[in-house]
Amino acid sequence: MTVDKAALYARVRTSLAALLSGETDATANLANTAALIYDQLPDINWAGFYLLRENELVLGPFQGKPACVRIPLGKGVCGAAVVRRSSLVVPNVHRFPEHIACDSASRSEIVIPLSGPNHFLGVLDIDSPVENRFDELDRAGLETLCSLLVHHLAPDGSPLSDVLCRI
Ligand code: SME
């Protein structure tokens, strides 16, 4: 069965808005966002966050197998997305130089920056056991979800230090 990705992401966005509504705790909001994505998106084996701490990414709330805790900037798909300041869709992780394998079942990956005009909080990382799992519809849908989350974590573009203190 083909998934109607536009409809799927519209539904997930509505659910995420409801989950975030009225809640200001950043850890709770990151954890519920990871859980919602993991529960709702088909064919994924890991979904979660790496948060920017000084000069490295550190594991945040996630769903899936235990994962590597620290990723230097520029390393792995996550570190590359931070340096490029843009989303990365990797159809085959085995062909991505320096991909960091946390689960040997992973075949494809998408990483979305968590950023606003004045801040860069980290990344959303999603792995799939299916090669070529993610496309431009996933990228657009997930960027919309991340934008909603960042607005909630950093309303009015709060300074990065303020937001990270609350995570
Ligand atoms: N594959 C990621 C590392 C994190 S795990 O996939 C959860 C990377 O290359 O940055």
Side-chain angles (χ1 to χ4, degrees), residues 53-125:
R53 302 277 189 207
E54 301 189 355
N55 282 324
E56 62 183 351
L57 291 168
V58 179
L59 184 63
F62 71 94
Q63 299 272 311
K65 288 191 175 173
C68 60
V69 174
R70 293 174 190 273
I71 300 179
L73 300 188
K75 300 293 181 190
V77 185
C78 294
V82 175
V83 170
R84 296 182 201 186
R85 292 278 199 274
S86 72
S87 302
L88 270 180
V89 177
V90 179
N92 181 337
V93 293
H94 297 308
R95 298 207 185 119
F96 191 90
E98 292 203 69
H99 163 255
I100 300 166
C102 291
D103 182 343
S104 60
S106 297
R107 291 287 176 277
S108 59
E109 184 162 353
I110 186 166
V111 177
I112 311 286
L114 275 187
S115 58
N118 305 314
H119 43 254
F120 194 97
L121 305 179
V123 296
L124 167 68
D125 180 23

Side-chain angles (χ1 to χ4, degrees), residues 43-56:
D43 297 326
I44 63 174
N45 59 326
W46 201 92
F49 297 97
Y50 280 91
L51 303 170
L52 191 60
R53 302 277 189 207
E54 301 189 355
N55 282 324
E56 62 183 351

